Amino acid sequence: MNKYILLVIFIIQLLSCNHTKTTTSINKLGSIILNPYGYTPLSAIYKISSINSSPITVTVKGQHGENDLIHTYEAGYGTEFEIHGLYPECNNTIIVNDAGRIIIKNQYVDSITFNGIKIPSKFKIEYNNLEKENYSNNPDLYFVGLKSDVTLGISKNGFLRYFNNKSYFSKIDINKKNIMLFSFKINDIGCIYSLSGKKILEFPTSHHHDIIKHNDHYIYLSDSQYGSEDRLIEIDQSGNIIKDLNFGNLIENIVYKKNDKDEIEKYKKVVFGEAVNNIYKYNSVNKNVDWFHANSLVYDNNTDILYVSSRHRGVLAINYSKWELIWWMADDSINTTVDINAISTTIPYDMHFKDLKSLEPYRVNGDTLKDGPKNQHALFLLKNGHIGMFDNQGDENINLNGSRYVEYKVTGTHGNYRAEKIYEYRKTSLYSRITSDIDYTGINYQNILIAYGTAKKIIELEKNTKKELFNLDIDLSFSDFLYRVDKMPFYYDENRIYSEDDNMKNKN
């Protein structure tokens, strides 16, 4: 009888233990994996086998006087938890708090090299007069996209905290409450990656220069075969193409309405590509002509206007749904390099939009005629509707007047558009023939972040006073220029004010 009672008690205890195991809210402990996808040696992930049912906090201990980097992932986040901000040439400490259970990993990270060239573990900051950081354990960094498929993340103190040798970026932005890298590789398929290097979405066509959100979709710049950087693609969240458009058709539709033979002949020296049935030939060989060179996009949800920077032709406002030109603007003295061989980033004829009479009613007059953009990049739509941009100010190798940030107010109607220059910031000592970037930063967007591409200089200034707050050089021999610079943290914080890359008027 006693043996029977003991057996019953044992079975009850066994069933009770099994029941407790199946309802526990504690996951099995995971593992810390450094450089998980092979592109980010200053990053890691904490990986578990099932979705976390309790919050998980990751910490990288600060060094060189910098604070610890700390982020807590809420319950139900997933199975991979990014960890960023390790220091090269240092012993690093990573701490993971998984439902009260502590995992500590100590790891020495060697120096970072690219193509055999060592990247500094600390960059020289010329000066730093920035306001106090509001998120001391998740501060903003300067993410720098370099030619040669490299992205760096540098702290305000100059320390290298992020490295990615998969690609440089068109922007670092928030996507589904994560900070993600929108990659850019010339004439290659673009992707959206997590900062740890995990592929989130692959684009169906080549991608260059810029990508923006359009509700739940993405709009990005792409290439045609013989018109080069003159194509625009809209895709859904699965990468399916929703729209496939060409900027050449905007001009074609206007010119051909008049059926003026002389006008059409001039047009055929401006617009090229298979989309407009005008493929340029040199020595009887079909040539890819970079006639448009789209390099920046901004979309206004309120008006359905798409603003586009064409490096070689000017700035355009487009009715996006109808795919119709509203207006265009450029300086009279725009001087894009001409080469009849149509080599990269040149045009074969010294012909421009201003030479087409049919485009005159669409032209923005006023300040932009003699003080307008020349070979500009990085459009920005402000809350008041003004259009800002990095105005490279020419296609010559040397410009003693320097490049600038400039802002215009455009008013009027068809046939009578006018622009007023509202603001300008210029350093005559800094000229960038190509690339470059503009962001707005600060809790009230009171600062401007400017990246001078070929000068490889990053400056942050207070807009109203033009007082320079931050100055950083990125002088690396393996890269001829910077593409983009974004100021963002590693981790998403609810209700935080983030820098803006292109649009303060409304969120795309």
Side-chain angles (χ1 to χ4, degrees):
M1 184 70 177
N2 289 341
K3 288 182 180 180
Y4 175 75
I5 293 173
L6 289 174
L7 178 61
V8 170
I9 292 172
F10 174 75
I11 293 172
I12 292 173
Q13 287 178 335
L14 182 62
L15 290 172
S16 176
C17 288
N18 286 338
H19 178 71
T20 302
K21 184 176 181 180
T22 58
T23 59
T24 181
S25 62
I26 305 298
N27 298 82
K28 291 182 179 179
L29 280 174
S31 56
I32 298 172
I33 304 170
L34 293 165
N35 194 10
Y37 300 99
Y39 312 122
T40 55
L42 301 182
S43 298
I45 59 170
Y46 175 63
K47 188 174 180 63
I48 56 179
S49 58
S50 58
I51 294 174
N52 63 311
S53 51
S54 299
I56 291 177
T57 298
V58 298
T59 299
V60 171
K61 298 298 292 182
Q63 301 190 51
H64 311 298
E66 296 191 322
N67 291 331
D68 296 349
L69 288 178
I70 305 173
H71 182 67
T72 298
Y73 294 92
E74 61 186 12
Y77 177 84
T79 59
E80 291 187 10
F81 308 87
E82 295 189 354
I83 304 169
H84 300 294
L86 278 67
Y87 295 87
E89 304 177 62
C90 281
N91 288 304
N92 292 272
T93 300
I94 299 172
I95 303 171
V96 175
N97 185 331
D98 184 346
R101 298 166 300 171
I102 306 299
I103 303 172
I104 299 175
K105 187 177 184 69
N106 295 303
Q107 179 71 43
Y108 179 81
V109 177
D110 208 344
S111 59
I112 302 296
T113 61
F114 182 77
N115 288 345
I117 299 172
K118 182 179 179 296
I119 296 177
S121 59
K122 188 176 190 301
F123 289 82
K124 182 181 179 182
I125 305 295
E126 295 294 331
Y127 46 81
N128 178 359
N129 298 313
L130 295 167
E131 58 192 12
K132 185 178 179 181
E133 175 64 57
N134 289 332
Y135 293 82
S136 59
N137 297 119
N138 185 28
D140 285 324
L141 285 89
Y142 294 89
F143 286 94
V144 182
L146 299 168
K147 181 188 177 184
S148 303
D149 295 342
V150 168
T151 294
L152 308 178
I154 301 169
S155 75
K156 66 179 182 180
N157 301 310
F159 292 103
L160 183 66
R161 307 295 302 273
Y162 181 80
F163 177 80
N164 184 317
N165 63 0
K166 176 66 174 176
S167 67
Y168 47 100
F169 61 90
S170 58
K171 66 175 62 180
I172 305 285
D173 208 353
I174 300 165
N175 198 49
K176 298 178 182 177
K177 294 189 177 184
N178 286 285
I179 310 298
M180 291 189 181
L181 186 153
F182 293 73
S183 79
F184 165 34
K185 298 186 77 171
I186 294 178
N187 297 323
D188 197 2
I189 298 299
C191 294
I192 300 176
Y193 292 98
S194 71
L195 288 182
S196 62
K198 183 177 183 179
K199 184 185 294 185
I200 307 299
L201 176 66
E202 184 175 283
F203 303 157
T205 71
S206 61
H207 161 239
H208 66 85
H209 281 303
D210 211 353
I211 179 171
I212 59 175
K213 291 291 294 293
H214 178 214
N215 300 322
D216 292 331
H217 292 176
Y218 304 101
I219 302 174
Y220 67 90
L221 297 169
S222 191
D223 300 274
S224 64
Q225 184 176 0
Y226 292 107
S228 192
E229 300 183 353
D230 61 352
R231 189 178 174 194
L232 180 138
I233 305 289
E234 180 176 340
I235 59 174
D236 62 20
Q237 291 193 28
S238 299
N240 301 307
I241 295 178
I242 305 301
K243 290 185 179 182
D244 188 343
L245 303 166
N246 191 282
F247 294 107
N249 297 132
L250 292 170
I251 313 304
E252 179 187 45
N253 294 338
I254 295 169
V255 170
Y256 275 82
K257 281 182 180 179
K258 290 190 174 183
N259 199 27
D260 183 318
K261 290 183 179 180
D262 291 337
E263 179 85 345
I264 290 172
E265 286 304 309
K266 289 180 180 179
Y267 153 84
K268 287 184 175 180
K269 293 184 177 181
V270 175
V271 181
F272 299 91
E274 66 274 17
V276 295
N277 194 28
N278 186 37
I279 297 174
Y280 181 69
K281 293 181 182 292
Y282 182 74
N283 290 336
S284 300
V285 177
N286 289 347
K287 297 285 292 186
N288 179 312
V289 177
D290 190 12
W291 71 273
F292 193 75
H293 198 106
N295 61 25
S296 183
L297 292 169
V298 180
Y299 180 70
D300 187 346
N301 278 319
N302 297 334
T303 61
D304 192 35
I305 296 177
L306 183 74
Y307 297 94
V308 178
S309 167
S310 163
R311 182 186 184 275
H312 293 169
R313 304 301 178 184
V315 177
L316 290 72
I318 300 166
N319 182 310
Y320 184 52
S321 295
K322 296 180 179 180
W323 198 241
E324 293 178 349
L325 181 66
I326 300 173
W327 55 250
W328 67 275
M329 65 178 176
D331 194 281
D332 270 340
S333 63
I334 187 171
N335 58 348
T336 303
T337 302
V338 176
D339 189 313
I340 60 170
N341 191 24
I343 61 173
S344 177
T345 70
T346 68
I347 54 178
Y349 302 102
D350 191 16
M351 297 285 289
H352 306 274
F353 284 177
K354 66 182 180 181
D355 298 309
L356 300 175
K357 289 184 179 180
S358 54
L359 293 186
E360 287 180 1
Y362 298 85
R363 186 170 191 182
V364 178
N365 295 299
D367 289 345
T368 58
L369 294 181
K370 302 300 179 184
D371 195 11
K374 293 183 284 188
N375 309 107
Q376 72 293 319
H377 290 72
L379 296 184
F380 203 103
L381 180 62
L382 288 96
K383 285 184 179 180
N384 54 17
H386 296 171
I387 301 295
M389 67 199 72
F390 185 99
D391 183 7
N392 299 71
Q393 274 291 284
D395 208 10
E396 58 259 318
N397 290 323
I398 298 175
N399 181 330
L400 298 179
N401 294 318
S403 299
R404 63 178 178 169
Y405 168 76
V406 65
E407 189 178 309
Y408 297 101
K409 177 182 180 181
V410 179
T411 57
T413 56
H414 184 71
N416 189 34
Y417 288 111
R418 295 190 65 82
E420 176 187 358
K421 186 175 77 172
I422 300 298
Y423 179 90
E424 175 183 288
Y425 171 81
R426 186 196 300 259
K427 285 180 76 74
T428 57
S429 61
L430 291 175
Y431 170 64
S432 182
R433 176 182 172 271
I434 58 174
T435 66
S436 306
D437 195 18
I438 293 291
D439 291 350
Y440 269 78
T441 62
I443 58 173
N444 296 308
Y445 300 119
Q446 72 275 19
N447 301 335
I448 306 175
L449 178 64
I450 306 178
Y452 295 83
T454 47
K456 294 189 276 190
K457 170 76 77 173
I458 298 167
I459 291 177
E460 191 169 359
L461 65 133
E462 201 281 323
K463 181 179 181 179
N464 290 335
T465 64
K466 298 185 179 180
K467 177 184 177 183
E468 294 182 9
L469 305 173
F470 183 82
N471 187 304
L472 168 64
D473 287 314
I474 307 290
D475 190 11
L476 294 169
S477 60
F478 64 79
S479 180
D480 297 330
F481 48 84
L482 316 179
Y483 263 93
R484 295 291 175 94
V485 174
D486 284 350
K487 188 177 181 182
M488 293 289 282
F490 280 127
Y491 306 106
Y492 175 80
D493 292 304
E494 199 74 44
N495 300 318
R496 180 169 179 166
I497 302 298
Y498 298 89
S499 67
E500 282 294 337
D501 182 75
D502 57 60
N503 192 345
M504 284 195 296
K505 189 170 184 284
N506 50 59
K507 305 293 184 183
N508 289 326

